[in-house]
Amino acid sequence: MKLDSAMSSRVNLLDYDRSSLEGLFAELDEKPFRARQIMQWIYQRGVTQFDQMTDLSKLLRVRLEAMAELRFPETISEQQSVDGTFKWLHSVPGGSAVETVFIPESDRGTLCVSSQVGCALNCTFCATARQGYNRNLTTGEIISQVWMAENRLKTGEDRVISNVVMMGMGEPLLNYDAVVPAMKLMLDDLSFGLSRRRVTLSTAGVVPGIDRLAKDCPVSLAVSLHAPNDELRTQIVPLNKKYNIECLLAACKRYVGTESKRRITFEYVMLKDVNDREEHAHQLAALLVELPSKVNLIPFNPSPGIPYECSSKNTINSFRDILLEAGINTVTRKTRGDDIDAACGQLAGSVLDRTKRSQRMKAGLS
Ligand code: SAH
């Protein structure tokens, strides 16, 4: 395995999904099934040395050695919460680092994967936003997070990761061209083989990306709604200025399309005295009543410098009950890993910020 420290001119095979890997092999005058064999070595058997891929010809292994590699980010730290949640910090070229979280439950193991270094969307309650934005992750850097967690935690034959959520740092639909091939690898039977139900992309509401995703890779969709009217939503999710609630819900409707089983998960972070009043719950119910949906209420997780508090337990319960009475499937998300800052919205990684906005913010100018 090669760690990602120096620049390299070799191609990183982790950047390729099945069709592009077959394309690469065609350019090398190799048969497409060679690409499929390599995928199985890497993702199913966890083998990263070409000379151990014994069903490839000696010549091909030598050629691969010369022009290709498997380049993984370096793990800077690993923490484990008292509740069993793991958090890793991986360094990526450019001096920054991103976080990945694994949440074990009795019936599943969910990996929360980052898609960007930092985030440009500035949601006012989110720790990642505070870090500013640095760059998109590559397909290899995204799928590496899955490979590394699986191979770190696996003890026997059985897979450890049963679900992947693109809910770590970044806005996945603003890194579409790298995220989709990575998700295709998560789904591919020759690699991780997860079903579409078990791979979830969460978006703050990038409407054109939602429409593209429906055609290219229709995984489960989660939408960070967080407010039931435009005035409030624009305050806490500034992207709402560009794609308002009406236009976002219309895209969700198109995403569900005619698939009878598909439904959208709406995430709603509970912010005390901001978006948690009874009238907000009624407004939310009215918005969602005709859409096959499920609401995930997320207790706000605090981070230093973020000026919100979490709604009380009672408030969250009454909010949930109003939605349930309106016939909307609603659950309150259990907070996991907060003792190691691994809970929703606490992923800060380490971002060499390139945005002027946050330079100004640090200087107290905005
Ligand atoms: N950009 C994508 C992916 C991030 S997912 C998106 O917005 O959906 C992370 C989820 O955690 C989102 O629903 C986000 O709004 C939520 N979140 C962010 N900060 C949070 C916080 N401090 N407490 C609880 N949830 C938070």
Side-chain angles (χ1 to χ4, degrees):
M1 167 165 38
K2 170 129 185 7
L3 292 180
D4 214 349
S5 47
M7 292 296 280
S8 166
S9 57
R10 298 173 194 215
V11 294
N12 183 5
L13 296 189
L14 300 172
D15 281 330
Y16 292 77
D17 64 7
R18 188 199 296 212
S19 64
S20 60
L21 198 61
E22 286 176 351
L24 178 72
F25 275 59
E27 280 170 32
L28 297 174
D29 261 337
E30 292 283 348
K31 295 267 185 307
F33 80 91
R34 294 291 178 203
R36 300 199 284 271
Q37 284 175 312
I38 289 198
M39 285 177 67
Q40 287 173 303
W41 280 112
I42 301 172
Y43 298 108
Q44 295 183 346
R45 301 188 197 126
V47 169
T48 58
Q49 303 289 341
F50 297 127
D51 61 6
Q52 288 173 12
M53 301 182 180
T54 44
D55 55 6
L56 304 182
S57 71
K58 183 89 185 113
L59 181 65
L60 176 57
R61 283 185 264 163
V62 171
R63 283 182 87 189
L64 287 173
E65 209 70 70
M67 52 79 65
E69 65 192 358
L70 301 173
R71 206 155 60 233
F72 291 86
E74 189 179 350
T75 304
I76 303 173
S77 69
E78 173 182 289
Q79 287 171 277
Q80 191 176 10
S81 156
V82 289
D83 69 19
T85 298
F86 278 86
K87 182 173 85 169
W88 296 277
L89 185 65
H90 300 299
S91 78
V92 292
S96 298
V98 293
E99 290 179 327
T100 310
V101 173
F102 177 73
I103 306 147
E105 285 173 275
S106 57
D107 59 341
R108 70 177 91 175
T110 303
L111 193 72
C112 179
V113 169
S114 293
S115 58
Q116 296 182 311
V117 186
C119 188
L121 291 183
N122 291 324
C123 298
T124 53
F125 50 86
C126 179
T128 307
R130 279 285 156 131
Q131 300 280 309
Y133 171 73
N134 182 284
R135 69 166 170 87
N136 281 331
L137 292 178
T138 61
T139 296
E141 288 164 344
I142 297 167
I143 203 64
S144 288
Q145 296 174 62
V146 185
W147 192 98
M148 291 164 87
E150 181 68 32
N151 286 280
R152 161 71 184 86
L153 299 175
K154 195 170 172 165
T155 49
E157 281 297 295
D158 294 341
R159 286 247 187 235
V160 178
I161 298 167
S162 64
N163 296 61
V164 175
V165 293
M166 299 300 302
M167 290 188 189
M169 299 168 66
E171 168 49 51
L173 291 183
L174 292 181
N175 184 15
Y176 193 89
D177 293 342
V179 164
V180 165
M183 292 197 307
K184 285 188 173 163
L185 284 169
M186 296 171 202
L187 301 173
D188 200 309
D189 283 342
L190 296 177
S191 38
F192 292 103
L194 300 176
S195 77
R196 289 184 193 289
R197 274 184 310 116
R198 292 176 176 273
V199 175
T200 301
L201 181 143
S202 178
T203 178
V206 181
V207 165
I210 295 176
D211 286 322
R212 281 180 77 189
L213 192 67
K215 293 192 191 79
D216 295 342
C217 191
V219 292
S220 298
L221 184 68
V223 171
S224 293
L225 193 59
H226 303 320
N229 62 65
D230 282 323
E231 196 191 341
L232 189 54
R233 188 163 195 268
T234 297
Q235 275 173 36
I236 59 183
V237 181
L239 183 67
N240 196 64
K241 275 184 260 172
K242 197 159 181 188
Y243 307 112
N244 66 18
I245 293 180
E246 192 185 347
C247 134
L248 176 56
L249 294 185
C252 292
K253 223 169 245 170
R254 293 193 292 275
Y255 198 84
V256 172
T258 51
E259 296 231 2
S260 58
K261 283 201 201 122
R262 201 179 284 173
R263 55 170 61 194
I264 312 278
T265 299
F266 290 95
E267 293 155 289
Y268 196 102
V269 63
M270 296 300 292
L271 304 170
K272 185 179 175 194
D273 298 333
V274 176
N275 64 356
D276 64 351
R277 291 207 302 269
E278 285 186 6
E279 73 180 83
H280 294 138
H282 290 294
Q283 283 175 17
L284 182 60
L287 283 180
L288 301 185
V289 77
E290 280 178 26
L291 199 68
S293 53
K294 178 181 155 191
V295 172
N296 247 329
L297 299 177
I298 315 178
F300 168 69
N301 294 303
S303 284
I306 297 189
Y308 293 106
E309 285 175 57
C310 183
S311 312
S312 72
K313 237 191 189 128
N314 280 344
T315 307
I316 298 178
N317 288 344
S318 343
F319 200 95
R320 180 201 58 203
D321 291 344
I322 293 172
L323 292 169
L324 287 174
E325 269 162 39
I328 295 184
N329 179 350
T330 307
V331 293
T332 305
R333 189 179 287 170
K334 225 164 99 192
T335 291
R336 297 286 304 265
D338 52 342
D339 57 328
I340 54 166
D341 287 341
C344 290
Q346 292 186 319
L347 301 187
S350 139
V351 178
L352 272 185
D353 189 1
R354 297 200 301 212
T355 52
K356 293 206 175 72
R357 181 200 64 83
S358 68
Q359 301 296 334
R360 285 202 309 275
M361 228 168 71
K362 276 177 201 140
L365 301 176
S366 68

